[in-house]
């Protein structure tokens, strides 16, 4: 998310800022004698990689194997930057618009109207606003027929309504407008088919459906039935309504979608005394971001549909008001795209914060399953969840996918990362018995596991996790299990607070960290894979030797394809790069970047030509969401919050200067003109 509702404020007052002293220790250990701190940090970044991932000096991690021959190679030339109201894509490829905001999923919705006059009912039965994370689920393994599960992160009220949002003289938002806004958020599933080489939405497919910020959902995992989530709506604390600010995504090996709730705290308001978890996560104190609570009392209101956004305690107990409504948000939500009869399920065991991505590790028979998760705000943490159950490949095609979800996602260990300056790191267990840096235990601070999860950020503070530069998406290399996280930027990283893993302060351009977990899941080795930079940024900024053909800032969306190509997207507002290009999609094959001993190295001035710009979006947008068909012949990305696009269904068709369109976030389908695989060959 960026622009209107990009609340990434630093609410971490834990003092978990390792740095100068740890940095000194590291530099001294390596006998660094260079003059400047910047040069020293560059040395850490560059040397750390081979030293950490390659040598296995600390954890016994084997050097990642070279990929089986022949090595794949990127098969396109990097494109220059672009700053138009259209997309640009590498030579030999085409890009077209699919399923933009407002496209009906079924016959209950009227066609999208360019004057913004569609109703809230239309919106509940149509593509939502601000497409973000997504995943392609093939039907019968097909690469021509499948389901796209997709997030609708937030709204642009100016585009959603005919003349923007309104508020009446008494300060109330109109109920119909509020319902339309609630229904434009969430996630969806849409059937796609490729006919004559071109993907189309299947209108009225029985599997098409929407999840909005009002949809009935189940609460599962440690919070289910706890005191923390009992409300007037669900006195047993087992159900809740809605998902919101669904940003990054994940998926499971049993064919379900994971949608991640990110900047949801803004939709609530607590005008009383906020409990610690609400302070730490940023629930508002004067009014909700869109004022949804102001529609409470409208004569059309049903089941407190608006009142629930004001979480100020008013009743005698939690089951008489909505003081706990916000405690039903901030989770990973599991959706079964293949069965429209099922409800979405909040998998609370995976922690409660501003969730960004949720990429699974490699599924290995007999080993636990793992998901990696970022909490996207300045100075927040990187997490992972490790299932108690070990993977049984027979679960890949279960008769009840959500029961399988309960098996692997409701019971397990939640960890938060501490990055140490020597290139190792530790996963700190968030459980009642874990000792805190203050000499207590998490159990003493928060009670049981449910209390710890409700206060996940606070628990991370208490155990000494490393504050990071806004962790966004995670990705796992299918060739060797290495994990990656995009750290998009951090305006609050002052020069005095830099550390080995977040070495630039302020961090205006972002970077990508890579790590490899130990077999026991408790430690890892890490390095910095690439630093965002403008090509002319100088040695301290441009530490990866980027050029005009791959300069970028604010990495965000990211995924490996099944061949080991790493694709990452940007959500940038750093002017040293925006003056050259709009947001973009780049590709690199990390296992191709090796030293003479075959050990992986980061991107640097010698190999930077292997990081290539593949696609650029229109003015004002971010490029986000990424998924592939099984045959790697179709790549889907999303254009979110474009300024003046799309003009037609040809994504590269720029809106002419002086012409205005009502902007629509949209999926963009990218295919090779000769029908071949995307990106390589
Ligand atoms: Fe919604 Fe962190 O981007
Ligand atoms: Ca976004
Ligand atoms: Ca994002
Ligand atoms: Ca972002």
């Amino acid at each position: 998310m960026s622009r209107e509702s990009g609340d990434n404020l630093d609410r971490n007052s834990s003092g978990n800022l390792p740095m100068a002293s740890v940095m000194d220790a590291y530099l001294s250990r390596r006998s660094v004698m260079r003059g400047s701190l910047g040069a020293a940090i560059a040395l850490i970044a560059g040397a750390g990689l081979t030293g950490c991932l390659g040598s296995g000096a600390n954890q016994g991690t084997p050097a990642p194997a070279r990929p089986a021959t022949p090595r794949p190679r990127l098969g396109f030339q990097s494109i220059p930057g672009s700053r138009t109201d259209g997309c640009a894509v590498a030579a030999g490829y085409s890009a077209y618009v699919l399923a933009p905001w407002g496209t009906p999923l079924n016959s209950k919705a009227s066609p999208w109207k360019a004057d913004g006059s569609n109703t809230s009912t239309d919106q509940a039965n149509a593509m939502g606003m601000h497409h973000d994370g997504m995943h392609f689920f093939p039907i019968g393994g097909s690469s021509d027929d499948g389901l796209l599960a997709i997030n609708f992160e937030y709204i642009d009220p100016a585009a959603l309504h005919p003349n923007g949002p309104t508020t009446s003289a008494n300060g109330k938002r109109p109920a119909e407008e509020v319902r339309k806004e609630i229904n434009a958020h969430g996630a969806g599933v849409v059937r796609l088919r490729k006919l004559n080489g071109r993907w189309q939405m299947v209108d009225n497919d029985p599997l098409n459906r929407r999840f909005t910020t009002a949809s009935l959902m189940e609460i599962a995992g440690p919070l289910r039935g706890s005191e923390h989530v009992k409300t007037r709506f669900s006195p047993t604390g087992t159900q809740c309504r809605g998902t919101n600010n669904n940003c990054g995504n994940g998926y499971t090996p049993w064919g379900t979608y994971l949608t991640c709730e990110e900047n949801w705290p803004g939709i609530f308001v607590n005008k009383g005394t906020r409990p610690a978890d609400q302070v730490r996560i940023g629930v508002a104190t004067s009014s909700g971001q869109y004022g949804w609570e102001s529609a409470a009392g409208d004569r059309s209101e049903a089941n407190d549909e608006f009142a629930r956004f004001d979480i100020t305690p008013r009743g005698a107990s939690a089951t008489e008001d909505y003081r706990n409504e916000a405690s039903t948000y901030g989770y990973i939500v599991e959706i079964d795209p293949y069965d429209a009869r099922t409800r979405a399920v909040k998998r609370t065991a995976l922690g409660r914060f501003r969730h960004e991505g949720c990429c699974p590790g490699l599924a290995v028979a007999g080993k636990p399953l793992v998901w990696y998760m970022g909490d996207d705000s300045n100075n927040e943490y990187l997490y992972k969840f490790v299932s108690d159950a070990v993977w049984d490949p027979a679960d890949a095609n279960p008769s009840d996918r959500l029961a399988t979800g309960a098996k692997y996602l409701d019971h397990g260990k939640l960890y938060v990362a501490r990055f140490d300056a020597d290139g190792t790191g530790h996963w700190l267990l968030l459980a009642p018995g874990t000792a805190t840096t203050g000499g207590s235990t998490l159990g003493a601070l928060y009670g049981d596991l449910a209390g710890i999860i409700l206060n996940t950020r606070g628990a991370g503070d208490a155990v000494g996790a490393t504050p990071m530069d806004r962790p966004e998406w995670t990705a796992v290399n299918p060739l060797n299990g290495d994990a990656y996280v995009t750290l998009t930027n951090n305006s609050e990283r002052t020069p005095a607070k830099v550390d080995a893993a977040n070495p630039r302060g302020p961090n205006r351009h972002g970077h990508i960290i890579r790590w490899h977990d130990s077999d026991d899941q408790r430690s890892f080795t890490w390095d910095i894979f690439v630093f965002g930079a403008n090509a002319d940024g100088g040695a301290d900024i441009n530490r990866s030797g980027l050029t005009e053909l791959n300069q970028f800032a604010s990495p965000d969306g990211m995924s490996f394809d099944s061949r080991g190509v790493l694709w990452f997207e940007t959500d940038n507002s750093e002017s040293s790069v925006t003056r050259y290009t709009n947001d973009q999609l780049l590709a690199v094959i990390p296992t191709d970047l090796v030293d003479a001993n075959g050990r992986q190295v980061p991107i640097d001035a010698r190999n930077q030509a292997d990081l290539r710009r593949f696609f650029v979006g229109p003015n004002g947008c971010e490029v986000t969401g990424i998924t592939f068909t099984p045959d790697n012949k179709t790549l889907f990305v999303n254009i979110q919050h474009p300024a003046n696009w799309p003009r037609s269904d040809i994504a590269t068709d720029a809106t002419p200067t002086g012409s205005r369109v009502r902007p629509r976030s949209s999926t963009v389908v990218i295919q090779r003109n000769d029908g071949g695989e995307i990106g390589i060959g």
Side-chain angles (χ1 to χ4, degrees):
M1 155 173 308
S2 71
R3 301 208 315 184
E4 292 85 353
S5 54
D7 174 1
N8 318 109
L9 301 179
D10 181 3
R11 296 186 176 85
N12 187 343
S13 57
S14 67
N16 288 354
L17 291 173
M19 301 332 148
S21 58
V22 182
M23 177 74 79
D24 288 349
Y26 178 76
L27 296 178
S28 136
R29 186 175 75 74
R30 294 190 63 97
S31 303
V32 172
M33 300 305 287
R34 303 227 192 144
S36 76
L37 180 62
I41 292 168
L43 181 62
I44 291 175
L49 181 45
T50 47
C52 303
L53 283 174
S55 71
N58 303 290
Q59 302 299 320
T61 305
R66 286 173 183 259
T69 54
R71 274 191 196 156
R73 290 285 183 186
L74 292 181
F76 65 92
Q77 296 304 310
S78 198
I79 62 172
S82 172
R83 297 174 60 200
T84 74
D85 283 315
C87 299
V89 67
Y93 290 83
S94 298
Y96 55 92
V97 170
L98 183 76
W101 158 57
T103 308
L105 294 173
N106 59 53
S107 54
K108 293 179 195 158
S110 298
W112 180 78
K113 296 169 184 164
D115 63 0
S117 65
N118 287 92
T119 66
S120 63
T121 300
D122 291 342
Q123 185 58 83
N125 293 283
M127 295 295 284
M129 227 178 189
H130 285 26
H131 303 37
D132 207 305
M134 62 181 162
H135 194 77
F136 181 84
F137 292 90
I139 293 194
S142 175
S143 287
D144 297 331
D145 184 8
L147 299 165
L148 190 69
I150 183 168
N151 293 346
F152 304 115
E153 186 185 18
Y154 68 115
I155 58 170
D156 173 0
L160 185 63
H161 305 296
N163 298 298
T166 64
T167 302
S168 65
N170 62 3
K172 289 182 174 290
R173 297 286 320 280
E176 168 65 8
E177 281 189 19
V178 172
R179 285 197 192 96
K180 188 174 179 183
E181 293 172 12
I182 287 171
N183 292 344
H185 284 84
V189 176
V190 56
R191 180 80 174 265
L192 303 180
R193 275 214 190 92
K194 195 167 148 194
L195 296 171
N196 299 320
R198 190 177 173 97
W199 287 93
Q200 302 177 359
M201 279 179 61
V202 181
D203 196 15
N204 269 315
D205 190 275
L207 293 174
N208 288 356
R209 61 174 170 156
R210 278 294 316 281
F211 302 85
T212 73
T213 304
S215 301
L216 179 64
M217 301 189 175
E218 296 290 326
I219 299 173
L223 270 290
R224 182 177 176 85
S226 77
E227 294 300 318
H228 307 294
V229 290
K230 291 179 177 174
T231 63
R232 184 167 138 107
F233 175 76
S234 180
T236 58
T238 55
Q239 293 186 323
C240 59
R241 282 180 284 183
T243 187
N244 185 267
N245 257 269
N246 304 77
C247 193
N249 75 282
Y251 56 92
T252 71
W254 54 92
T256 62
Y257 183 65
L258 301 177
T259 181
C260 310
E261 299 179 330
E262 190 195 19
N263 288 315
W264 52 273
I267 63 174
F268 297 105
V269 59
N270 184 345
K271 296 174 182 170
T273 302
R274 294 177 300 171
D277 71 282
Q278 292 180 14
V279 174
R280 188 65 180 78
I281 206 135
V283 168
T285 55
S286 58
S287 70
Q289 178 177 0
Y290 304 111
W292 291 346
E293 72 283 358
S294 73
D298 185 273
R299 58 188 170 80
S300 70
E301 184 181 22
N303 298 319
D304 305 319
E305 64 183 303
F306 309 124
R308 69 190 180 101
F309 295 106
D310 184 340
I311 61 173
T312 312
R314 299 181 190 284
S317 71
T319 56
E320 295 179 24
D321 61 25
Y322 291 95
R323 70 185 67 178
N324 288 335
E325 189 74 358
S327 302
T328 69
Y329 281 77
Y331 300 109
I332 298 297
V333 185
E334 186 179 19
I335 288 171
D336 181 354
Y338 294 105
D339 186 348
R341 299 165 303 181
T342 55
R343 289 188 189 126
V345 182
K346 302 224 173 182
R347 298 293 181 194
T348 64
L350 281 74
R352 175 174 180 257
F353 42 91
R354 294 185 188 236
H355 274 286
E356 186 82 19
C358 191
C359 184
L362 304 186
V364 178
K367 300 278 191 184
L369 296 178
V370 179
W371 284 265
Y372 298 103
M373 304 173 285
D375 179 354
D376 178 14
S377 290
N378 290 330
N379 298 318
E380 292 301 337
Y381 305 131
L382 176 70
Y383 298 86
K384 78 170 176 181
F385 176 79
V386 179
S387 66
D388 283 348
V390 298
W391 176 237
D392 177 356
D395 285 332
N397 283 296
S399 57
D400 183 338
R401 288 175 204 83
L402 294 179
T404 305
K407 173 181 175 181
Y408 292 104
L409 293 172
D410 285 347
H411 308 280
K413 295 182 175 68
L414 181 64
Y415 292 94
V416 65
R418 191 187 78 209
F419 287 81
D420 294 337
D422 64 356
T424 69
H426 291 272
W427 290 107
L428 310 172
L429 179 64
L430 301 182
T434 301
T436 67
T437 55
S440 182
T441 65
L442 289 180
L445 292 182
Y446 299 114
D448 57 6
L449 182 58
I452 291 169
I453 288 171
L454 185 77
N455 293 276
T456 302
R457 283 183 168 184
D461 299 341
V463 299
T466 300
M468 307 297 286
D469 288 348
R470 292 185 55 196
E472 297 242 30
W473 289 48
T474 51
V476 172
N477 191 333
L479 303 181
N480 58 24
D482 288 351
Y484 292 67
V485 62
T486 46
L487 298 161
T488 200
N489 57 59
N490 186 350
S491 56
E492 302 292 329
R493 178 77 59 185
T494 62
K497 289 180 174 175
V498 297
D499 61 31
N502 304 276
R504 293 184 297 191
N507 184 0
R508 296 183 290 117
H509 298 81
H511 57 291
I512 298 177
I513 284 185
R514 161 171 63 184
W515 71 95
H516 196 96
D517 279 345
S518 61
D519 282 345
D520 68 5
Q521 300 293 345
R522 297 204 296 239
S523 61
F524 56 93
T525 53
W526 64 272
D527 73 327
I528 296 179
F529 178 65
V530 64
F531 289 93
N534 49 308
D536 58 0
D540 190 48
I541 292 295
N542 190 7
R543 300 179 187 201
S544 297
L546 304 185
T547 69
E548 272 204 352
L549 287 175
N550 56 19
Q551 60 181 329
F552 73 91
S554 301
D556 191 340
M558 176 173 63
S559 182
F560 275 91
D561 66 29
S562 60
R563 306 160 303 185
V565 181
L566 177 64
W567 302 82
F568 63 90
E569 301 165 320
T570 65
D571 173 16
N572 178 43
S573 54
E574 162 56 32
S575 61
S576 64
V577 174
T578 59
R579 70 188 179 211
Y580 174 76
T581 187
N582 292 340
D583 278 317
Q584 56 185 304
L585 169 67
L586 302 109
V588 60
I589 303 174
T591 50
D592 274 0
L593 310 184
V594 294
D595 65 14
N597 297 314
R599 294 182 301 199
Q600 292 182 112
V601 297
I603 291 171
D604 61 25
R606 292 162 294 181
N607 61 27
Q608 59 76 34
D610 293 324
L611 171 65
R612 299 184 189 175
R613 182 180 297 119
F614 180 71
F615 174 88
V616 181
N619 292 332
C621 83
E622 73 179 80
V623 184
T624 186
I626 181 162
T627 190
F628 318 88
T629 49
D631 63 4
N632 289 306
K633 291 182 176 176
T634 303
L635 167 62
F636 300 93
V637 298
N638 284 324
I639 295 300
Q640 188 188 77
H641 58 77
N644 191 21
W645 177 93
R647 176 198 193 202
S648 73
D649 63 359
I650 301 170
T652 48
D653 185 7
T655 309
T657 304
S659 178
R660 297 292 308 171
V661 300
R662 187 173 292 264
R664 299 172 83 184
S665 293
S666 176
T667 298
V668 167
V669 186
I670 300 173
Q671 292 169 259
R672 217 163 97 177
N673 295 339
D674 66 4
E677 290 188 30
I678 304 285
I680 68 170

